Amino acid sequence: EARVDDAQEEGEARGEIRGIAKGKAEGLVEGMAKGMAKGMAKGKAEGKAEGLVEGQIQGILRILTTRFASAPDDIRQAVEAKTDLSALETLLIHAATCDTLDDFRQKLR
């Protein structure tokens, strides 16, 4: 009977070790899946924000080029350095309504 008890204890110990290993492996896979989903969502949001900023920048430069036949380098560089979407939206409106490139330069400052 002592042998049976020893064998049962050894079996339980081995089973526990295997269970822990399997649980860790499943937890790792589950954790990676959740991490990837969070990462993808964050990446999509960042990409969308970057796309909106880039779209506003290109729109501003296109309007200036259409209205004034060019977008001088100083203005182009200043506009391209902007990353705040709200500020870019304001500049877009100003690009469409300003009287001169100098007026637009003033708004950039």
Side-chain angles (χ1 to χ4, degrees):
E1 193 171 298
R3 284 184 168 174
V4 172
D5 288 340
D6 289 344
Q8 187 173 1
E9 285 179 24
E10 184 178 337
E12 286 176 15
R14 284 184 184 182
E16 183 177 355
I17 290 169
R18 286 183 183 163
I20 289 171
K22 186 174 181 180
K24 282 184 180 180
E26 288 177 7
L28 178 64
V29 169
E30 195 174 303
M32 286 178 62
K34 286 181 181 178
M36 285 181 66
K38 284 182 183 178
M40 287 177 63
K42 185 176 179 182
K44 282 182 182 179
E46 288 174 3
K48 182 177 179 180
E50 288 173 13
L52 289 171
V53 166
E54 185 61 29
Q56 290 288 24
I57 289 169
Q58 294 306 313
I60 291 165
L61 297 176
R62 198 171 306 121
I63 289 170
L64 293 175
T65 301
T66 301
R67 292 191 65 218
F68 302 108
S70 73
D73 286 342
D74 66 316
I75 289 177
R76 182 177 297 279
Q77 289 171 359
V79 170
E80 288 174 346
K82 302 284 184 193
T83 58
D84 180 76
L85 191 56
S86 178
L88 286 166
E89 289 172 355
T90 299
L91 286 174
L92 182 73
I93 292 167
H94 193 63
T97 60
C98 66
D99 292 325
T100 66
L101 284 172
D102 285 334
D103 289 344
F104 186 79
R105 273 190 189 91
Q106 292 299 316
K107 191 72 168 182
L108 273 172
R109 296 180 188 157

